[in-house]
Amino acid sequence: MPNSPLLDLVDQRKFKELFRDHLYWSNPDQPSLTVKVDEVTYTLEQVAGFKGLRVWYCAVLPPKRVQRLIDEQVRTSSTEERLVIFADEHEQAWRWPRRAQLGSANAKLVLHGYKVGSDDRRLARQLNAVKIGFNEQLTIVDMLARMRVAFDHEAETASAQAARMMGALYAELERSRWDERNATLLLARLLFLWFADDTGMWRKTIQGEAPALFQMFVENHTSAETFVTDLAALFEVLDTEEGKRPKGTPPELDAFRYVNGGLFNEPMQMGSLTLAFRDQVLEAGEFDWSIISPAVFGSMFQTVKDKKARRAAGEHYTTEESILKTIEPLFLTELRLRLENARGDQGQLTKLHNDLGRLRIMDPACGCGNFLIVAYRELRALEMDLLLARRELDLKNKDIAHVQQSFDITSELKVSLDHFYGIEIEEWPARIAETAMLLVDHQANLRMQDDFGIVPDRLPIKVAPTIVHANALRHDWESVVPPNDDVIIVGNPPFLGQYTKNPEQTADVKRIWGANYNGYLDYVTCWYALAIKYYGKHSGRFAFVSTNSISQGEATEFLWRPIFDTGWRCRFAHRSFQWTTETADGAAVHVSIIGFDKRTDNVPKATLWTYPEGGAGIGTPHEVANINAYLLPAPRVFVSSVSKPLSALLPKVDYGSKPTDNGKLVPKSNDLAAVTEIRTDPIASRYLRRFVNADELLYDKERWCLWLEGVTPQVIASSPVLSARVAAVREFRLKSTKAATVKKAATAHLFDERRQPSTSYLAIPRHVGETREFFTSKRMPPEIICGDANFMVEDPDGFALGVLSSTMFILWMRAIGGRLKSDLRFSNTFVYNSFPLPVLSDQRRSALVAAAAQLTAARAQFPAKSLADLYELGRIPEPVLEAHTAIDKVIDAAFGVEDGATVEARQRLMLRRYAALTKQLDDAALFDLDGASDD
């Protein structure tokens, strides 16, 4: 694809023509500049300008350090507002001094590298962004705003860039055989130093620009060969009080301030470093660390650990969006509303401020600390707004001089780092969490500098968060922070389902849940159990990001009943939505966010966020009277698995037949040679039957099996094909580690489990897509063998088809059933057996059978369409929809569904009926959608 005309001019280094003739900037107004760096002279030509903003061009490409020194001389000689382009015939460096966003610290010299001949769309977009329209009347402020939008691009890609650099550094440390503890400590120290450089942390006053001490130290006073000892010397100085440093400490080291805290005084073994490590540290120093978002820390962690390892630990790193979805409804929104209502009332502002000072935030699975980081940042911002409101009141009521003398902002701060606590099982994220909290504190202080012109001096570090490196499921939470009503627990504990927990994790779940243990409880539920144990009789609040399975399926009761029984209510919930993380290979899971408190007055009202089917898109909030265990605005009812249907009208559902044959009785769907072999054998071909698993059922795929029920050994022996295949099944089963399977080797010609009915039956897939409007099951003749990827039920007249094809049944599945990601999961003992089908009169039963027959006939009108095609969302053929309407007419009438009833109303109606059938009606009556009881 050809370059844009603008990039062609860039390639040719025709910068005057580019800016004046194509971007419509003004002619230069300054003569050329000559500057000297390291005894080398450089000439810079001004190629264009706009009201004091100038573009300079240097016809060579010196090293990055030299570029910065040249830029500094350009700034002092000409103007602070400038774009400097360094270019040779192969590469270019476009340098723009991005003004710090978080206070008046250093201006970071942003680098946009460009290779001649590349199709750099980003640079083309940047240039178009600063083009001046023919009729535009721009001020210098307008143009500076455009330049900052165009060239302050680091903010848009901070997470990815920081993650890449930290990952590269970690890889170099691995090559040098650094262990994880020392590698993580070193990277945490480097992160602190870069951030200190870019946010002016080294200075003692707010006046003037602070030097980038660490970057200058690395550039000018270290070498690749001595970098280990150079860094060790720096770390020792940072851990020594300035008045106690040895005489003769080099000035480039003595310029650093004493840091204190655990970051630099913890013992550390400095191993060897590769020669490339120093270069990568220098490259990272070019990045502007002051603009990183809290989410970058989780991203860095993801970069240095492989995906398989993260999955084994159940780690899923939380985006800032999801953190805010958690902490805003749990406490932030309420606090912000209190602030708005308190404006103008000194007493209420003081009360709110004291309440802020009592809050304690704990994340017992803190990872890299993102929840603590964002919570601290938001509470500090809230406190700043409160202090500004108090100052406004003081200005109204007192003279300005008195206010300036009496309002000492640094002594007024009540939101403190030491009010934040975390528990983390791995050292790397725990270390990053500690460091990140120090950095976000400095960010908050820079904002205070903008608002009040004063900032607390945090060096040396005296106040820090408590991050405990321990297994939260075995560590006493009370030893981290004593429980009281002002402790708020938040976090994103690890997700591990029934089949992905290792033995140690399973043992933890069993120990924590004790007699209430259910094998389907996800690992994340341990944090819920420990939270309610931690609070005891205290109120408090807690909220977790969790896999959506905790509110689906039969395990729901085992988690939620003890929560409700100990006096907690669901304060808010985000129903299932698609999870995203900060990295491209983020976890492919569906989650819910759920928060609890002990408010008995239902103030504030519970808030339920619902999402489109599939969990994509933006959630819609609804104020409701209560939220039940299935995240529905419906009665507080628990559905349990039962061995037989609650309704005597429903026939028993079972699994299909299971072959356990290694593909010998049921060839794989793509094994055409095997089917041909069977068909060409005159004996074996007699026993070839159509076979239907879920894929064959939903997509009309053709598959075959050998069904040898009642076939004698003599017949099998007379067929080379049968005898070979049966022998192979026997051998396969004998090698099994399961005794029951080995025993079945004696009947190797038969399916391991056989449940094939002798009459017409309904084949029921285990899962259907989340967007299905109706459940897609299908009646089959007994000659077609149903596999165990389906359920099945004898259905000679179509009654079961009618029930399962009703709107009420699929809404029952959506309400209480489990899911595979977001797909609906059918269960015979849980979903089907619990379906609260009312008693049907003979007349209604006959009507339902007739409607089911109508559905079968309607589907038959479209022989080329599979079930999946027929039920594609928004494309169901009219005859099929009419048949479902006929089915719904019967089932809705039996349930007493009112015309125009919503999904929630239908689900609430079924839950009430289920509660009555299982004697839970008294509990359910207390929690209806509108708060009214049934009395």
Side-chain angles (χ1 to χ4, degrees):
M1 185 178 293
N3 273 353
S4 72
L6 298 182
L7 292 184
D8 288 338
L9 294 171
V10 171
D11 287 345
Q12 298 170 54
R13 290 178 283 176
K14 295 181 177 180
F15 297 116
K16 283 185 180 179
E17 184 178 341
L18 169 68
F19 277 90
R20 291 181 302 171
D21 300 340
H22 293 265
L23 303 181
Y24 306 117
W25 284 46
S26 303
N27 286 315
D29 60 353
Q30 295 285 315
S32 295
L33 287 174
T34 299
V35 301
K36 183 176 289 189
V37 176
D38 297 338
E39 302 305 317
V40 178
T41 300
Y42 299 90
T43 301
L44 292 97
E45 176 190 6
Q46 187 198 357
V47 295
F50 181 86
K51 298 181 179 180
L53 169 61
R54 297 181 176 92
V55 181
W56 296 90
Y57 165 49
C58 179
V60 294
L61 185 63
K64 293 175 182 177
R65 181 185 69 86
V66 175
Q67 293 174 25
R68 288 198 304 276
L69 294 174
I70 292 173
D71 174 80
E72 180 62 22
Q73 292 192 47
V74 172
R75 180 181 71 83
T76 56
S77 300
S78 175
T79 175
E80 251 183 74
E81 309 300 346
R82 75 274 180 200
L83 171 66
V84 181
I85 305 171
F86 299 92
D88 61 21
E89 60 183 0
H90 303 295
E91 294 186 48
Q92 300 178 11
W94 293 53
R95 291 290 205 160
W96 166 255
R98 188 194 66 79
R99 289 289 130 190
Q101 297 174 346
L102 301 169
S104 54
N106 294 4
K108 190 73 175 186
L109 194 59
V110 171
L111 167 65
H112 182 112
Y114 175 77
K115 289 189 176 181
V116 173
S118 64
D119 185 17
D120 191 334
R121 299 300 180 85
R122 183 173 62 178
L123 180 56
R125 287 194 300 269
Q126 289 170 321
L127 293 173
N128 277 305
V130 299
K131 183 177 180 178
I132 302 172
F134 183 74
N135 293 319
E136 283 188 307
Q137 299 296 320
L138 298 180
T139 65
I140 181 61
V141 174
D142 296 330
M143 180 54 75
L144 285 173
R146 288 193 182 186
M147 291 293 288
R148 286 165 185 161
V149 169
F151 286 95
D152 290 1
H153 61 273
E154 251 77 347
E156 301 172 4
T157 57
S159 176
Q161 290 187 60
R164 175 186 59 79
M165 288 184 286
M166 293 297 272
L169 288 166
Y170 193 88
E172 290 299 320
L173 293 176
E174 284 187 318
R175 291 188 187 97
S176 300
R177 300 185 181 279
W178 282 54
D179 61 36
E180 183 175 292
R181 179 195 173 277
N182 287 291
T184 56
L185 183 54
L186 175 60
L187 293 183
R189 290 179 177 183
L190 293 175
L191 175 62
F192 180 90
L193 292 166
W194 289 319
F195 193 90
D197 267 6
D198 290 340
T199 58
M201 197 182 292
W202 302 122
R203 64 189 173 193
K204 295 183 179 181
T205 70
I206 65 172
Q207 302 301 320
E209 288 193 358
L213 286 182
F214 178 59
Q215 187 73 358
M216 291 193 300
F217 171 74
V218 175
E219 286 180 345
N220 302 324
H221 303 286
T222 72
S223 69
E225 292 77 13
T226 64
F227 200 40
V228 171
T229 55
D230 296 332
L231 287 176
L234 173 61
F235 296 160
E236 184 176 351
V237 167
L238 289 165
D239 189 42
T240 305
E241 293 182 44
E242 289 156 58
K244 297 181 179 180
R245 293 172 181 172
K247 290 183 178 179
T249 299
E252 65 270 13
L253 290 175
D254 203 34
F256 286 90
R257 300 188 61 193
Y258 172 47
V259 173
N260 196 16
L263 188 57
F264 289 97
N265 69 14
E266 188 166 336
M268 177 180 175
Q269 293 182 352
M270 296 284 287
S272 63
L273 293 172
T274 65
L275 296 178
F277 190 82
R278 178 178 177 273
D279 290 337
Q280 291 181 352
V281 169
L282 283 169
E283 179 189 349
E286 296 284 341
F287 177 71
D288 190 348
W289 293 90
S290 72
I291 60 174
I292 53 176
S293 77
V296 73
F297 301 113
S299 298
M300 287 188 293
F301 184 27
Q302 286 176 308
T303 299
V304 300
K305 286 188 68 181
D306 64 86
K307 185 177 181 181
K308 183 178 180 181
R310 294 198 308 272
R311 186 65 181 173
E315 298 160 354
H316 304 279
Y317 298 97
T318 323
T319 63
E320 189 168 328
E321 178 186 14
S322 290
I323 293 169
L324 292 172
K325 284 180 179 179
T326 307
I327 66 176
E328 284 184 335
L330 188 64
F331 62 89
L332 269 182
T333 300
E334 180 181 336
L335 292 173
R336 289 168 179 163
L337 182 60
R338 283 184 61 187
L339 174 58
E340 290 307 309
N341 292 336
R343 292 188 187 278
D345 187 327
Q346 191 71 261
Q348 289 301 312
L349 287 173
T350 300
K351 183 178 186 306
L352 174 58
H353 201 190
N354 289 335
D355 289 346
L356 289 179
R358 283 193 293 271
L359 286 180
R360 300 293 183 270
I361 312 294
M362 179 168 70
D363 181 350
C366 71
C368 297
N370 284 2
F371 269 94
L372 299 176
I373 292 163
V374 176
Y376 180 76
R377 184 194 70 195
E378 295 300 313
L379 286 172
R380 278 290 305 271
L382 181 71
E383 184 178 35
M384 285 300 98
D385 289 343
L386 184 150
L387 291 171
L388 285 169
R390 285 181 55 185
R391 185 173 69 175
E392 289 175 6
L393 277 180
D394 282 353
L395 287 171
K396 279 185 179 180
N397 300 327
K398 302 173 185 176
D399 65 271
I400 294 177
H402 176 78
V403 171
Q404 290 174 337
Q405 291 173 4
S406 64
F407 203 78
D408 182 1
I409 184 65
T410 58
S411 65
E412 291 288 316
L413 296 178
K414 295 184 183 293
V415 178
S416 176
L417 277 176
D418 57 356
H419 297 174
F420 291 75
Y421 307 83
I423 306 174
E424 171 52 37
I425 194 169
E426 294 194 52
E427 183 166 13
W428 160 259
R431 181 70 59 196
I432 289 296
E434 292 171 349
T435 308
M437 288 295 286
L438 299 175
L439 305 190
V440 78
D441 175 62
H442 191 62
Q443 286 180 327
N445 293 337
L446 290 174
R447 184 212 153 166
M448 186 168 68
Q449 174 183 312
D450 287 344
D451 290 340
F452 293 94
I454 192 169
V455 61
D457 186 2
R458 295 300 203 202
L459 293 182
I461 296 168
K462 297 176 182 177
V463 179
T466 299
I467 307 295
V468 178
H469 176 205
N471 183 341
L473 300 188
R474 301 177 185 178
H475 193 82
D476 181 12
W477 294 12
E478 293 187 23
S479 69
V480 180
V481 54
N484 63 64
D485 293 353
D486 295 312
V487 176
I488 296 173
I489 294 175
V490 293
N492 172 21
F495 315 157
L496 290 167
Q498 177 188 9
Y499 301 110
T500 52
K501 296 191 291 284
N502 64 36
E504 184 179 355
Q505 292 162 337
T506 299
D508 278 340
V509 181
K510 289 181 177 179
R511 174 179 52 81
I512 288 167
W513 281 106
N516 293 322
Y517 173 73
N518 171 278
Y520 293 99
L521 283 167
D522 192 283
Y523 192 55
V524 71
T525 63
C526 294
W527 276 260
Y528 288 81
L530 291 177
I532 60 179
K533 177 184 177 183
Y534 167 83
Y535 282 112
K537 294 183 178 179
H538 294 287
S539 293
R541 302 175 188 184
F542 70 96
F544 294 124
V545 179
S546 307
T547 173
N548 61 3
S549 66
I550 69 165
S551 296
Q552 300 167 355
E554 61 186 280
T556 303
E557 175 181 8
F558 294 87
L559 168 63
W560 285 76
R561 189 179 288 279
I563 293 175
F564 286 152
D565 286 350
T566 49
W568 296 92
R569 70 147 184 166
C570 185
R571 176 187 177 96
F572 75 91
H574 288 264
R575 296 197 72 187
S576 180
F577 65 92
Q578 288 183 10
W579 177 259
T580 56
T581 70
E582 293 294 330
T583 59
D585 66 345
V589 293
H590 287 70
V591 303
S592 297
I593 302 176
I594 308 169
F596 297 89
D597 65 20
K598 285 189 175 179
R599 295 294 293 263
T600 58
D601 56 1
N602 203 30
V603 177
K605 270 194 166 187
T607 305
L608 178 65
W609 277 264
T610 59
Y611 291 81
E613 281 300 326
I618 299 173
T620 302
H622 311 271
E623 282 196 345
V624 296
N626 77 285
I627 300 170
N628 74 3
Y630 304 99
L631 305 189
L632 294 169
R636 187 177 289 179
V637 174
F638 295 106
V639 179
S640 304
S641 289
V642 285
S643 58
K644 63 180 183 179
L646 287 179
S647 170
L649 295 175
L650 292 175
K652 182 181 178 181
V653 166
D654 212 335
Y655 289 101
S657 297
K658 182 178 181 180
T660 315
D661 67 325
N662 198 29
K664 300 304 179 183
L665 298 178
V666 185
K668 296 186 183 302
S669 56
N670 60 353
D671 192 353
L672 301 179
V675 176
T676 301
E677 178 188 53
I678 295 170
R679 280 187 170 146
T680 55
D681 184 301
I683 298 174
S685 62
R686 299 180 207 163
Y687 307 106
L688 198 60
R689 300 283 186 273
R690 281 287 304 277
F691 178 82
V692 176
N693 255 341
D695 267 6
E696 290 74 34
L697 176 66
L698 294 173
Y699 299 99
D700 277 353
K701 294 181 179 179
E702 186 177 282
R703 197 169 177 187
W704 298 85
C705 73
L706 283 169
W707 188 253
L708 302 175
E709 190 82 38
V711 178
T712 66
Q714 292 79 11
V715 172
I716 292 173
S718 67
S719 165
V721 171
L722 291 181
S723 57
R725 287 184 171 271
V726 170
V729 174
R730 182 180 299 109
E731 182 182 0
F732 174 72
R733 292 179 182 175
L734 285 171
K735 291 179 180 178
S736 174
T737 57
K738 297 180 179 178
T741 303
V742 173
K743 186 177 180 181
K744 296 292 180 66
T747 53
H749 64 297
L750 300 176
F751 274 36
D752 182 353
E753 298 173 10
R754 302 176 305 285
R755 304 182 185 90
Q756 186 66 15
S758 58
T759 184
S760 295
Y761 64 91
L762 187 67
I764 306 165
R766 289 196 188 187
H767 302 96
V768 296
E770 76 275 8
T771 61
R772 296 296 186 211
E773 190 174 347
F774 303 101
F775 189 69
T776 48
S777 56
K778 186 176 182 180
R779 290 185 71 217
M780 294 287 182
E783 294 79 21
I784 296 180
I785 307 303
C786 185
D788 67 323
N790 295 320
F791 288 90
M792 49 166 246
V793 58
E794 292 190 10
D795 193 27
D797 61 359
F799 174 77
L801 173 63
V803 173
L804 268 62
S805 298
S806 67
T807 295
M808 294 298 273
F809 183 79
I810 199 166
L811 292 183
W812 180 249
M813 288 184 70
R814 291 191 195 283
I816 58 95
R819 302 212 179 192
L820 180 65
K821 294 184 181 177
S822 62
D823 286 351
L824 304 176
R825 175 180 289 166
F826 181 91
S827 163
N828 57 343
T829 57
F830 185 70
V831 173
Y832 177 82
N833 287 354
S834 68
F835 184 56
L837 180 69
V839 175
L840 300 180
S841 65
D842 290 344
Q843 182 178 2
R844 277 188 176 153
R845 191 187 189 287
S846 296
L848 183 61
V849 169
Q854 180 183 346
L855 176 60
T856 299
R859 290 174 175 176
Q861 294 180 39
F862 306 92
K865 286 183 176 287
S866 66
L867 272 182
D869 293 334
L870 276 173
Y871 286 89
E872 189 176 343
L873 184 64
R875 302 181 68 177
I876 303 175
E878 192 61 34
V880 176
L881 284 174
E882 289 174 359
H884 279 286
T885 300
I887 289 171
D888 284 344
K889 183 177 180 180
V890 177
I891 298 296
D892 286 359
F895 273 103
V897 176
E898 296 181 358
D899 290 343
T902 63
V903 167
E904 288 80 7
R906 287 170 174 267
Q907 290 170 330
R908 190 162 57 250
L909 182 63
M910 287 186 281
L911 283 168
R912 286 193 164 279
R913 175 160 181 78
Y914 177 85
L917 290 172
T918 56
K919 312 302 182 187
Q920 298 183 62
L921 187 59
D922 289 343
D923 290 338
L926 297 175
F927 295 95
D928 197 1
L929 178 64
D930 57 5
S933 75
D934 291 342
D935 298 337

